[in-house]
mmCIF file of all heavy atoms in Angstrom:
data_model
loop_
_atom_site.group_PDB
_atom_site.id
_atom_site.type_symbol
_atom_site.label_atom_id
_atom_site.label_comp_id
_atom_site.label_asym_id
_atom_site.label_seq_id
_atom_site.Cartn_x
_atom_site.Cartn_y
_atom_site.Cartn_z
ATOM 1 N N GLY E 377 -179.855 -69.886 86.589
ATOM 2 C CA GLY E 377 -180.262 -68.567 86.119
ATOM 3 C C GLY E 377 -180.757 -67.647 87.209
ATOM 4 O O GLY E 377 -181.298 -66.570 86.915
ATOM 5 N N ASN E 378 -180.575 -68.038 88.478
ATOM 6 C CA ASN E 378 -181.028 -67.212 89.602
ATOM 7 C C ASN E 378 -179.880 -66.354 90.127
ATOM 8 O O ASN E 378 -178.733 -66.817 90.197
ATOM 9 C CB ASN E 378 -181.556 -68.103 90.732
ATOM 10 C CG ASN E 378 -182.738 -68.932 90.298
ATOM 11 O OD1 ASN E 378 -183.621 -68.455 89.575
ATOM 12 N ND2 ASN E 378 -182.778 -70.194 90.736
ATOM 13 N N GLU E 379 -180.219 -65.128 90.494
ATOM 14 C CA GLU E 379 -179.204 -64.230 91.023
ATOM 15 C C GLU E 379 -178.757 -64.675 92.417
ATOM 16 O O GLU E 379 -179.581 -65.050 93.254
ATOM 17 C CB GLU E 379 -179.735 -62.801 91.095
ATOM 18 C CG GLU E 379 -178.685 -61.788 91.563
ATOM 19 C CD GLU E 379 -179.188 -60.360 91.606
ATOM 20 O OE1 GLU E 379 -179.161 -59.697 90.556
ATOM 21 O OE2 GLU E 379 -179.632 -59.940 92.699
ATOM 22 N N VAL E 380 -177.449 -64.661 92.646
ATOM 23 C CA VAL E 380 -176.869 -64.991 93.953
ATOM 24 C C VAL E 380 -176.321 -63.711 94.566
ATOM 25 O O VAL E 380 -175.655 -62.924 93.891
ATOM 26 C CB VAL E 380 -175.738 -66.030 93.820
ATOM 27 C CG1 VAL E 380 -175.097 -66.303 95.178
ATOM 28 C CG2 VAL E 380 -176.265 -67.323 93.212
ATOM 29 N N SER E 381 -176.642 -63.497 95.821
ATOM 30 C CA SER E 381 -176.166 -62.287 96.496
ATOM 31 C C SER E 381 -175.703 -62.624 97.903
ATOM 32 O O SER E 381 -175.955 -63.705 98.420
ATOM 33 C CB SER E 381 -177.271 -61.227 96.553
ATOM 34 O OG SER E 381 -178.364 -61.687 97.338
ATOM 35 N N SER E 382 -175.009 -61.667 98.510
ATOM 36 C CA SER E 382 -174.633 -61.766 99.912
ATOM 37 C C SER E 382 -174.789 -60.381 100.513
ATOM 38 O O SER E 382 -175.254 -59.452 99.843
ATOM 39 C CB SER E 382 -173.199 -62.285 100.066
ATOM 40 O OG SER E 382 -172.890 -62.499 101.434
ATOM 41 N N CYS E 383 -174.405 -60.243 101.767
ATOM 42 C CA CYS E 383 -174.566 -58.956 102.447
ATOM 43 C C CYS E 383 -173.276 -58.535 103.136
ATOM 44 O O CYS E 383 -172.457 -59.368 103.522
ATOM 45 C CB CYS E 383 -175.685 -59.027 103.487
ATOM 46 S SG CYS E 383 -177.335 -59.280 102.817
ATOM 47 N N ILE E 384 -173.121 -57.239 103.279
ATOM 48 C CA ILE E 384 -172.045 -56.682 104.078
ATOM 49 C C ILE E 384 -172.647 -55.738 105.105
ATOM 50 O O ILE E 384 -173.777 -55.274 104.967
ATOM 51 C CB ILE E 384 -171.003 -55.936 103.222
ATOM 52 C CG1 ILE E 384 -171.658 -54.744 102.512
ATOM 53 C CG2 ILE E 384 -170.345 -56.883 102.216
ATOM 54 C CD1 ILE E 384 -170.659 -53.838 101.822
ATOM 55 N N VAL E 385 -171.884 -55.491 106.159
ATOM 56 C CA VAL E 385 -172.350 -54.629 107.248
ATOM 57 C C VAL E 385 -172.268 -53.166 106.835
ATOM 58 O O VAL E 385 -171.273 -52.714 106.251
ATOM 59 C CB VAL E 385 -171.495 -54.878 108.506
ATOM 60 C CG1 VAL E 385 -171.695 -53.763 109.538
ATOM 61 C CG2 VAL E 385 -171.841 -56.228 109.118
ATOM 62 N N GLU E 386 -173.316 -52.431 107.150
ATOM 63 C CA GLU E 386 -173.342 -50.988 106.908
ATOM 64 C C GLU E 386 -173.760 -50.278 108.195
ATOM 65 O O GLU E 386 -174.878 -50.493 108.682
ATOM 66 C CB GLU E 386 -174.319 -50.660 105.777
ATOM 67 C CG GLU E 386 -174.199 -49.240 105.269
ATOM 68 C CD GLU E 386 -174.936 -49.041 103.949
ATOM 69 O OE1 GLU E 386 -176.196 -49.075 103.964
ATOM 70 O OE2 GLU E 386 -174.275 -48.873 102.918
ATOM 71 N N PRO E 387 -172.876 -49.464 108.782
ATOM 72 C CA PRO E 387 -173.218 -48.766 110.021
ATOM 73 C C PRO E 387 -174.410 -47.833 109.838
ATOM 74 O O PRO E 387 -174.568 -47.223 108.770
ATOM 75 C CB PRO E 387 -171.946 -47.956 110.336
ATOM 76 C CG PRO E 387 -170.858 -48.650 109.579
ATOM 77 C CD PRO E 387 -171.499 -49.172 108.337
ATOM 78 N N VAL E 388 -175.250 -47.747 110.850
ATOM 79 C CA VAL E 388 -176.368 -46.803 110.835
ATOM 80 C C VAL E 388 -176.453 -46.124 112.193
ATOM 81 O O VAL E 388 -175.961 -46.632 113.196
ATOM 82 C CB VAL E 388 -177.714 -47.501 110.532
ATOM 83 C CG1 VAL E 388 -177.737 -48.044 109.117
ATOM 84 C CG2 VAL E 388 -178.003 -48.608 111.531
ATOM 85 N N GLU E 389 -177.068 -44.953 112.195
ATOM 86 C CA GLU E 389 -177.373 -44.249 113.441
ATOM 87 C C GLU E 389 -178.883 -44.222 113.582
ATOM 88 O O GLU E 389 -179.576 -43.794 112.667
ATOM 89 C CB GLU E 389 -176.798 -42.833 113.424
ATOM 90 C CG GLU E 389 -175.285 -42.800 113.452
ATOM 91 C CD GLU E 389 -174.753 -41.383 113.571
ATOM 92 O OE1 GLU E 389 -175.583 -40.467 113.832
ATOM 93 O OE2 GLU E 389 -173.546 -41.189 113.407
ATOM 94 N N ILE E 390 -179.378 -44.662 114.713
ATOM 95 C CA ILE E 390 -180.821 -44.736 114.891
ATOM 96 C C ILE E 390 -181.319 -43.531 115.673
ATOM 97 O O ILE E 390 -180.560 -42.850 116.365
ATOM 98 C CB ILE E 390 -181.238 -46.047 115.589
ATOM 99 C CG1 ILE E 390 -180.633 -46.116 117.000
ATOM 100 C CG2 ILE E 390 -180.795 -47.249 114.784
ATOM 101 C CD1 ILE E 390 -181.144 -47.285 117.805
ATOM 102 N N THR E 391 -182.621 -43.285 115.560
ATOM 103 C CA THR E 391 -183.219 -42.143 116.238
ATOM 104 C C THR E 391 -183.414 -42.450 117.719
ATOM 105 O O THR E 391 -183.361 -43.599 118.154
ATOM 106 C CB THR E 391 -184.580 -41.806 115.613
ATOM 107 O OG1 THR E 391 -185.459 -42.924 115.809
ATOM 108 C CG2 THR E 391 -184.432 -41.536 114.124
ATOM 109 N N THR E 392 -183.677 -41.426 118.499
ATOM 110 C CA THR E 392 -183.860 -41.601 119.932
ATOM 111 C C THR E 392 -185.022 -42.538 120.270
ATOM 112 O O THR E 392 -184.864 -43.418 121.123
ATOM 113 C CB THR E 392 -184.089 -40.234 120.625
ATOM 114 O OG1 THR E 392 -182.922 -39.422 120.397
ATOM 115 C CG2 THR E 392 -184.280 -40.418 122.126
ATOM 116 N N PRO E 393 -186.197 -42.448 119.642
ATOM 117 C CA PRO E 393 -187.271 -43.393 119.953
ATOM 118 C C PRO E 393 -186.877 -44.825 119.667
ATOM 119 O O PRO E 393 -187.215 -45.728 120.415
ATOM 120 C CB PRO E 393 -188.406 -42.929 119.021
ATOM 121 C CG PRO E 393 -188.135 -41.494 118.780
ATOM 122 C CD PRO E 393 -186.642 -41.379 118.715
ATOM 123 N N GLN E 394 -186.129 -45.057 118.578
ATOM 124 C CA GLN E 394 -185.678 -46.420 118.268
ATOM 125 C C GLN E 394 -184.698 -46.917 119.333
ATOM 126 O O GLN E 394 -184.728 -48.054 119.749
ATOM 127 C CB GLN E 394 -185.009 -46.438 116.893
ATOM 128 C CG GLN E 394 -185.982 -46.309 115.730
ATOM 129 C CD GLN E 394 -185.256 -46.193 114.405
ATOM 130 O OE1 GLN E 394 -184.375 -45.371 114.246
ATOM 131 N NE2 GLN E 394 -185.659 -47.024 113.463
ATOM 132 N N ARG E 395 -183.797 -46.027 119.773
ATOM 133 C CA ARG E 395 -182.827 -46.404 120.806
ATOM 134 C C ARG E 395 -183.548 -46.774 122.105
ATOM 135 O O ARG E 395 -183.195 -47.733 122.775
ATOM 136 C CB ARG E 395 -181.842 -45.258 121.037
ATOM 137 C CG ARG E 395 -180.733 -45.611 122.028
ATOM 138 C CD ARG E 395 -179.833 -44.402 122.256
ATOM 139 N NE ARG E 395 -179.154 -44.024 121.036
ATOM 140 C CZ ARG E 395 -178.011 -44.553 120.617
ATOM 141 N NH1 ARG E 395 -177.442 -45.502 121.337
ATOM 142 N NH2 ARG E 395 -177.437 -44.137 119.512
ATOM 143 N N GLU E 396 -184.558 -46.003 122.462
ATOM 144 C CA GLU E 396 -185.302 -46.275 123.686
ATOM 145 C C GLU E 396 -186.033 -47.611 123.569
ATOM 146 O O GLU E 396 -186.207 -48.328 124.556
ATOM 147 C CB GLU E 396 -186.280 -45.146 123.963
ATOM 148 C CG GLU E 396 -185.581 -43.847 124.399
ATOM 149 C CD GLU E 396 -186.555 -42.701 124.557
ATOM 150 O OE1 GLU E 396 -187.740 -42.866 124.159
ATOM 151 O OE2 GLU E 396 -186.145 -41.627 125.074
ATOM 152 N N ALA E 397 -186.475 -47.968 122.356
ATOM 153 C CA ALA E 397 -187.171 -49.235 122.156
ATOM 154 C C ALA E 397 -186.242 -50.415 122.409
ATOM 155 O O ALA E 397 -186.643 -51.455 122.909
ATOM 156 C CB ALA E 397 -187.737 -49.301 120.733
ATOM 157 N N ILE E 398 -184.947 -50.229 122.077
ATOM 158 C CA ILE E 398 -183.971 -51.283 122.322
ATOM 159 C C ILE E 398 -183.762 -51.459 123.813
ATOM 160 O O ILE E 398 -183.725 -52.567 124.346
ATOM 161 C CB ILE E 398 -182.623 -50.945 121.641
ATOM 162 C CG1 ILE E 398 -182.790 -50.920 120.127
ATOM 163 C CG2 ILE E 398 -181.562 -51.942 122.030
ATOM 164 C CD1 ILE E 398 -181.569 -50.404 119.400
#
Side-chain angles (χ1 to χ4, degrees):
N378 299 320
E379 184 179 276
V380 177
S381 64
S382 186
C383 294
I384 62 171
V385 165
E386 192 167 70
V388 293
E389 292 186 10
I390 62 173
T391 63
T392 299
Q394 287 174 308
R395 184 183 296 274
E396 289 175 351
I398 295 172

